[in-house]
Amino acid sequence: MHPLRALIVALALLTFLLHPAGGSASEEESGLETRSERPFVHRINLYAEDGRVIDPHARNAPVFSNDATCGKCHDVAAVAQGWHFNAPSLEADHGRRGEPWFLIDEATGTQIPVSYRGWPGTWTPESLDLSPQDFITLFGRHLPGGGIGDPRHRDGDSDDNWDSTGNLEIDCMVCHSVSPNYDPLPRIEQIDLGNYRYVSVVAMGLGTVKGSSLESASTATSIDDAFAEFDPAMEEGEKKAVVDFIYNISRFDEDNRTLFELVGEIPSTNCLFCHTNHVTQSSDGLEDWQRPRDVHLEAGLSCVDCHSNGIDHNIVRGFEGETIQGALHGEMFTCRGCHMGTNPRHATDVTANAGGLGSPIPGHHGIPLIHFETMSCTSCHSGPMPDHQTTILQTSMAHGLGVPRFERAVMELPYIVQPIFIPDQVGKLAPHKAVWPSYFGVMDNDGTVTPLSPDQVRARVSIDSKQKPPIDPGIIAKTLKELQENGDVAHVYVSEGQLHRLENTTGELASEEHPAAQPYTWPLAHDVRPAGQSIGARSCQECHSPEAPFLFSKVSLPLVLQRPEPLVQTAFEFSGLDSTLNQRFAQSFAIRPLYKVALALAILLTGLALLAAIVGWLIRGVLR
Amino acid sequence: MNTLRILLLSAVALLLALLALTGLPTILSEGALLTGNALMLHVTAGGFLMALITILALLWLRGGAFVGGGIAVWTGRFLAFLFLASVAAAALPIVIVMTPLADSRGQHLLLLWHETAGIIALVSFLPMVALNLYWNRNPKRNTGVKE
């Protein structure tokens, strides 16, 4: 053979050997894809954590893994970096302040905002001596898995026994399931029992679990009778297992496949399991059924139409200036992006891509442009109509809404107050929710206050567990005294914007303003009211009058600490606006109609005078 | 009569200065907002200016405007006309916005209109006063009697 021909043949052979299937590496690595708008019917096999396909009929069949099963086609590593799972990540961009978790305890009068995201005003679980598993025990009811629940996908380590509990993997079905069989309550039960690896299978009704992974194997007594009957051939040695699990084989076909009833477009009801807001106390006197829902939901939109995401699950939060790794993120999904188009230069300019999702393009007739430069859309369009008193709110994350229990009270910690109008992340006035932290804490010499968790307080002093807010100041003083006796650091109690400590001389409780007592606030965006019900739709005086609730409402602070008088602040104290100036400006609106007429008359008269001058000159010219 | 005119022109000058002081920073620096006390002063000064301009316009007409001739007279007459017209033009968008007849986009254009008319009024004021003072030096001219 000619040497050149031999070389070409050799190269061709080498190429073939390196790419035997003839496809590119990226094609081989990607999962199954349909690229159709029609949802794929997920009748699929289940896979165990080690990647083996599961035979649900087999004895001791392993529990399925979401990561392994969903990861067959979907990039779960990318999903794991998404917004709902990246709270503990040090690299993630945590953006503007959002709703934190709240460590609460009625007996010690504790409500502490807690978050792994490091938002100013929150405390990390580590600082409160909460391990990841403690955190899951407290808040797992509304955690979708991943993040702190899965040591493989987060930074840091802990002393928790993950081998026993398993990883709390991302439970894709929490959000994506549309099956009537998917029940989040058994999922919560399994989290309480420490059976993290079983939460998905139980919630989906694909299997049954007995026992608790939190109990050590040595303390386990016997396997449940029903399970003993189920598996009489089980060896005695195998009965060490504390948790027993079997698949519900009626849910599988002859090929061991089961149907995952899921959708990509997540229904709003699934979002609302974790994101419900419930007004429990307001002065408008409306019942729940009388309160209007978010106008977008009423118009047929779902949460994910705006709070959208790609496979990375970096869900658009939808605030102005939201960035992911320095780049503007989801600009077209903000209020302005959808209704007015994406033109970052002019907040009020309408661009060609305005009216997204069939949204009306707002006219804002007669509203001076300054309003759009100094106020967020939500100021006028979101939340409850500002009244002379603020409202008390309960949320899924803070109050465990969605988990049934008896005797849900109107006032339950944490006390969330809304709306409070304060500048947002871009300096625009926006409605916020607020919680005034309450806790026992220690104060350093430099005045820095660090909270004590309720367990840390109980470890040092005895607390009457039946105690409820508002707590008698005498009890707080007594507790502080006892805490003081057990250590040489200064102990304090923080509540309703004040720091309380024992006077050295008298032993009385003394109060003072302190930065640590400042409220934790986060923006309020829902429910959005229709244009006709926005503030200012009827008249300017809705805001610009001396009695306007928007600027002059009374914010009653719900009391954790008993006080002789209610604590009331005016909206101005939060907004940073000049009270006197705005009072004067509001008063000027009384003569505004007269001003309009006078100005119009002045223009008319001046115009007529000028016209008369010209006409007079022309007539004289003609006569001359 | 001349004393009254001078007093009125001084008042106009004062109000114009106030309007310029409060309004120009917003025009000159992108991002600066006309808010708070500056806005209150601007609006109040604008209201008083309109009242004075109306009086001035009526007096000007009554005082024999467009009678007489000469380049200085015609220039002064033109500047006076331009000044009065631009002040009225600057006020008109405010009435349209307050009525309310314009949407946000329309308000952008009206704001440009307001600012442009305001600057024309400001620029035309000083030469107008100078030329009219020159004009008023000769009482015959002021009465409209031909030289």
Side-chain angles (χ1 to χ4, degrees):
Chain A
M1 189 184 283
H2 189 278
L4 183 63
R5 186 175 292 171
L7 182 66
I8 291 169
V9 170
L11 281 173
L13 197 63
L14 190 65
T15 307
F16 175 77
L17 288 171
L18 285 173
H19 299 278
S24 69
S26 62
E27 281 171 357
E28 286 166 24
E29 285 166 12
S30 66
L32 287 170
E33 282 187 80
T34 66
R35 296 204 174 166
S36 168
E37 292 287 316
R38 186 191 187 281
F40 175 70
V41 177
H42 285 71
R43 186 171 285 109
I44 53 176
N45 287 110
L46 301 180
Y47 291 85
E49 199 172 357
D50 59 9
R52 282 183 302 157
V53 67
I54 292 171
D55 175 3
H57 302 86
R59 204 180 73 181
N60 294 336
V63 67
F64 92 93
S65 155
N66 273 291
D67 277 15
T69 304
C70 303
K72 282 288 168 191
C73 298
H74 304 285
D75 186 355
V76 290
V79 174
Q81 305 307 313
W83 176 253
H84 281 108
F85 321 110
N86 68 6
S89 169
L90 300 175
E91 286 82 32
D93 182 354
H94 297 296
R96 75 173 182 185
R97 280 177 298 179
E99 182 178 3
W101 300 97
F102 284 97
L103 182 61
I104 54 161
D105 182 60
E106 290 196 325
T108 53
T110 301
Q111 52 180 20
I112 306 172
V114 180
S115 178
Y116 282 103
R117 295 191 186 276
W119 287 321
T122 61
W123 297 91
T124 60
E126 291 90 349
S127 67
L128 295 163
D129 207 18
L130 294 174
S131 72
Q133 288 196 346
D134 293 335
F135 188 82
I136 291 168
T137 304
L138 286 168
F139 307 116
R141 52 183 164 74
H142 287 107
L143 281 175
I148 198 65
D150 195 336
R152 297 168 303 175
H153 292 312
R154 66 170 163 79
D155 305 312
D157 202 4
S158 71
D159 296 329
D160 295 321
N161 187 2
W162 295 100
D163 289 338
S164 173
T165 60
N167 298 322
L168 186 65
E169 289 184 345
I170 293 170
D171 187 351
C172 309
M173 299 298 276
V174 164
C175 300
H176 288 280
S177 176
V178 286
S179 168
N181 290 313
Y182 188 91
D183 186 352
L185 298 183
R187 181 180 185 277
I188 296 169
E189 285 170 17
Q190 294 309 315
I191 289 174
D192 289 344
L193 293 167
N195 300 332
Y196 300 162
R197 60 167 63 90
Y198 300 102
V199 296
S200 293
V201 77
V202 173
M204 290 170 72
L206 289 178
T208 309
V209 175
K210 298 275 180 175
S212 167
S213 300
L214 293 177
E215 295 173 24
S216 67
S218 58
T219 58
T221 51
S222 64
I223 294 174
D224 187 271
D225 292 344
F227 281 81
E229 281 176 26
F230 159 72
D231 194 6
M234 188 180 279
E235 294 294 327
E236 192 62 31
E238 291 179 77
K239 291 186 180 179
K240 279 182 184 172
V242 180
V243 175
D244 290 300
F245 165 67
I246 54 168
Y247 279 105
N248 178 359
I249 55 171
S250 69
R251 297 281 300 277
F252 292 83
D253 65 13
E254 64 271 21
D255 295 324
N256 295 333
R257 296 182 308 172
T258 188
L259 181 65
F260 278 51
E261 293 176 77
L262 57 82
V263 287
E265 294 277 323
I266 294 164
S268 298
T269 45
N270 286 13
C271 305
L272 290 171
F273 181 70
C274 295
H275 298 290
T276 291
N277 290 297
H278 183 242
V279 173
T280 58
Q281 194 180 75
S282 69
S283 54
D284 60 14
L286 292 178
E287 297 286 330
D288 282 349
W289 62 272
Q290 293 172 308
R291 286 185 195 286
R293 294 173 74 213
D294 191 292
V295 67
H296 297 100
L297 294 181
E298 297 290 8
L301 272 70
S302 63
C303 303
V304 293
D305 285 326
C306 300
H307 300 290
S308 200
N309 62 272
I311 187 62
D312 62 5
H313 283 56
N314 268 316
I315 292 165
V316 173
R317 296 175 69 197
F319 58 87
E320 285 184 36
E322 181 180 9
T323 56
I324 292 289
Q325 289 167 346
L328 276 178
H329 181 60
E331 189 75 3
M332 62 189 291
F333 295 105
T334 60
C335 307
R336 184 168 55 76
C338 213
H339 285 270
M340 309 188 82
T342 48
N343 185 347
R345 285 174 300 175
H346 297 294
T348 53
D349 205 358
V350 175
T351 60
N353 57 345
L357 298 170
S359 59
I361 299 171
H364 290 136
H365 286 269
I367 300 175
L369 301 177
I370 188 173
H371 291 81
F372 312 113
E373 290 163 357
T374 57
M375 292 164 67
S376 73
C377 306
T378 53
S379 283
C380 301
H381 293 279
S382 292
M385 281 292 273
D387 206 341
H388 294 285
Q389 290 285 334
T390 44
T391 59
I392 300 291
L393 183 79
Q394 294 187 352
T395 73
S396 300
M397 285 170 62
H399 298 86
L401 304 184
V403 184
R405 66 177 160 85
F406 293 104
E407 296 174 1
R408 279 197 178 274
V410 170
M411 294 297 289
E412 283 186 9
L413 295 180
Y415 296 149
I416 303 177
V417 176
Q418 69 167 18
I420 309 283
F421 290 90
I422 58 172
D424 66 5
Q425 76 287 344
V426 289
K428 291 184 176 180
L429 206 60
H432 284 66
K433 298 169 189 167
V435 169
W436 279 260
S438 292
Y439 52 80
F440 285 99
V442 291
M443 188 158 75
D444 297 344
N445 291 333
D446 61 357
T448 307
V449 176
T450 309
L452 294 172
S453 72
D455 287 345
Q456 288 172 321
V457 175
R458 283 197 176 85
R460 299 174 199 190
V461 295
S462 81
I463 297 285
D464 178 6
S465 59
K466 290 177 184 170
Q467 207 163 259
K468 284 190 174 187
I471 297 171
D472 192 297
I475 294 172
I476 297 294
K478 179 174 163 284
T479 310
L480 282 176
K481 196 177 173 187
E482 288 173 15
L483 284 168
Q484 209 78 21
E485 284 166 1
N486 294 342
D488 54 359
V489 287
H491 284 82
V492 295
Y493 182 70
V494 166
S495 74
E496 293 102 38
Q498 290 183 321
L499 181 136
H500 315 274
R501 57 177 157 183
L502 294 175
E503 286 276 14
N504 287 335
T505 49
T506 61
E508 296 286 311
L509 206 59
S511 306
E512 61 187 84
E513 303 283 326
H514 195 278
Q518 291 302 301
Y520 179 81
T521 56
W522 68 100
L524 174 167
H526 296 283
D527 290 340
V528 178
R529 301 188 303 276
Q533 293 173 17
S534 54
I535 309 172
R538 285 154 295 280
S539 73
C540 305
Q541 278 89 333
E542 282 187 73
C543 296
H544 298 297
S545 81
E547 291 85 31
F550 173 68
L551 293 173
F552 306 105
S553 67
K554 302 290 179 200
V555 181
S556 296
L557 275 60
L559 300 179
V560 180
L561 179 66
Q562 206 174 75
R563 292 165 192 268
E565 297 289 328
L567 265 182
V568 180
Q569 290 181 268
T570 57
F572 265 113
E573 293 174 55
F574 305 98
S575 66
L577 296 172
D578 184 333
S579 170
T580 315
L581 177 72
N582 277 277
Q583 284 276 8
R584 281 209 313 271
F585 192 61
Q587 283 160 355
S588 75
F589 276 71
I591 57 162
R592 193 181 159 97
L594 192 67
Y595 183 76
K596 276 187 221 176
V597 174
L599 197 59
L601 266 177
I603 294 166
L604 188 70
L605 280 173
T606 311
L608 282 175
L610 295 175
L611 193 65
I614 293 171
V615 171
W617 174 69
L618 286 172
I619 289 170
R620 282 195 189 95
V622 170
L623 289 177
R624 194 181 304 128
Chain B
M1 193 59 173
N2 276 342
T3 313
L4 178 65
R5 280 189 180 175
I6 289 167
L7 277 175
L8 284 172
L9 281 173
S10 302
V12 168
L14 190 71
L15 289 168
L16 268 183
L18 203 57
L19 284 165
L21 270 173
T22 51
L24 276 180
T26 302
I27 301 172
L28 296 176
S29 63
E30 201 177 331
L33 292 171
L34 190 51
T35 55
N37 284 320
L39 177 65
M40 295 272 277
L41 279 171
H42 194 79
V43 172
T44 311
F48 279 113
L49 181 71
M50 274 316 293
L52 277 179
I53 288 298
T54 312
I55 296 165
L56 270 179
L58 295 172
L59 282 176
W60 183 51
L61 188 64
R62 193 168 167 270
F66 293 97
V67 177
I71 187 73
V73 173
W74 276 107
T75 312
R77 192 175 286 157
F78 169 74
L79 285 170
F81 189 93
L82 183 67
F83 175 71
L84 293 175
S86 57
V87 170
L92 192 61
I94 307 302
V95 178
I96 296 171
V97 171
M98 286 172 84
T99 304
L101 295 170
D103 63 10
S104 303
R105 199 170 194 186
Q107 284 187 50
H108 264 300
L109 297 173
L110 288 173
L111 195 64
L112 282 176
W113 173 358
H114 174 78
E115 289 172 351
T116 310
I119 289 170
I120 291 170
L122 193 68
V123 169
S124 61
F125 181 72
L126 281 178
M128 179 202 75
V129 171
L131 278 167
N132 277 286
L133 285 176
Y134 169 76
W135 183 19
N136 285 335
R137 280 197 314 178
N138 187 340
K140 286 182 182 176
R141 286 177 186 162
N142 196 31
T143 54
V145 177
K146 283 185 180 178
E147 291 180 74

